[in-house]
Amino acid sequence: MRKYKAIIVSDLHLGTKDSKAKEFIEFIESHPTDLLILNGDMVDGWALNRGSKWKKQHTKVISKLLKLSNTTKIVWIRGNHDEFLTEFIDCHFGNIEIRENYVLETKHCVKDDIFENRNYFIFHGDIIDIFIAKYKWLAKLGSVGYDLALWINRWYNKYRAWRKLPYQSISQQIKVGIKAATNYINDFEVTAIKMANKNGCYGVICGHIHQPANMMIENSHYLNSGDWVENRTAILLNNQDEFTVFTF
């Protein structure tokens, strides 16, 4: 199997019914890497506090990551749903490092054999979300609403599967259809780029908003790893320092 220089994933939300834990394990097993970056919200502490059930498949993910850390460096970046990691920031547990953010170094060929360094600022993204930063109770209320949308989505797609129709995401359609949500995502992307520039980086890699992306914004590179609730996406960095947003 092809081995990658780095893989960035986020928003697995272990502890919720919609977490694609089984598929995530299959993805990790079939995509070896030198560096695995877990960019926040891997475990959904908010949902667990509301009474969500932890499944055997979720334990298998943790076991898989612990086993993987014997041979692979893993950086786990704190998200808002796994904020219990805050007290462990900058701690090392074997080959697993807990971080608030991380700078990934890459090289880009600008001409013939001339290369320039291009660093990427990696953080979950919640710190630029005003609802998270200032109105945490409102963010948690929004999380409940998203859970409801996923519940409707789950039963709707069971009906579609019975009718032999393809999967269709209701929650994604809501995001696309509501202008305020679209504006929020655009603002998030621009603000994330400003964060990268402030930290002297060429590009930025986020999670948080469950919208996979790979684009240029104001001469800077914006990437979002999406999620493992609906999109099942990851960012792959090959040994030529080329990024790909991959859907499993």
Side-chain angles (χ1 to χ4, degrees), residues 9 12-15 19-26 28 36 38 42-43 54-69 74 76 96 228:
V9 296
L12 178 57
H13 289 274
L14 293 173
S19 175
K20 301 298 187 292
K22 178 177 178 292
E23 292 83 351
F24 180 76
I25 292 173
E26 292 173 359
I28 291 299
L36 176 62
L38 311 175
M42 298 301 290
V43 174
W54 185 267
K55 299 181 179 180
K56 288 183 179 180
Q57 202 69 41
H58 302 161
T59 300
K60 288 181 180 179
V61 172
I62 300 300
S63 298
K64 179 65 181 177
L65 291 174
L66 289 173
K67 183 178 180 180
L68 183 65
S69 71
I74 297 178
W76 189 344
I96 300 176
W228 284 80

Side-chain angles (χ1 to χ4, degrees), residues 38-155:
L38 311 175
N39 197 9
D41 286 2
M42 298 301 290
V43 174
D44 198 324
W46 291 9
L48 290 170
N49 286 337
R50 293 197 302 267
S52 183
K53 302 299 182 183
W54 185 267
K55 299 181 179 180
K56 288 183 179 180
Q57 202 69 41
H58 302 161
T59 300
K60 288 181 180 179
V61 172
I62 300 300
S63 298
K64 179 65 181 177
L65 291 174
L66 289 173
K67 183 178 180 180
L68 183 65
S69 71
N70 292 327
T71 56
T72 302
K73 179 180 178 180
I74 297 178
V75 175
W76 189 344
I77 296 173
R78 177 207 62 80
N80 50 302
H81 285 260
D82 48 19
E83 59 189 351
F84 56 84
L85 293 174
T86 301
E87 60 182 300
F88 302 108
I89 296 296
D90 295 328
C91 290
H92 290 73
F93 301 94
N95 216 16
I96 300 176
E97 182 178 353
I98 310 299
R99 296 287 297 270
E100 181 73 17
N101 52 63
Y102 184 82
V103 174
L104 179 65
E105 299 177 356
T106 71
K107 292 185 180 293
H108 179 75
C109 183
V110 291
K111 184 180 180 181
D112 298 328
D113 293 327
I114 301 174
F115 290 83
E116 69 176 18
N117 294 327
R118 289 186 174 178
N119 293 342
Y120 285 77
F121 187 68
I122 305 177
F123 72 114
H124 181 62
D126 57 299
I127 62 172
I128 59 175
D129 189 332
I130 186 172
F131 295 110
I132 298 295
K134 293 187 177 181
Y135 305 105
K136 191 172 181 178
W137 66 271
L138 189 58
K140 290 190 174 183
L141 183 62
S143 178
V144 174
Y146 183 60
D147 288 348
L148 176 60
L150 289 175
W151 181 83
I152 296 171
N153 197 67
R154 189 162 57 247
W155 285 101

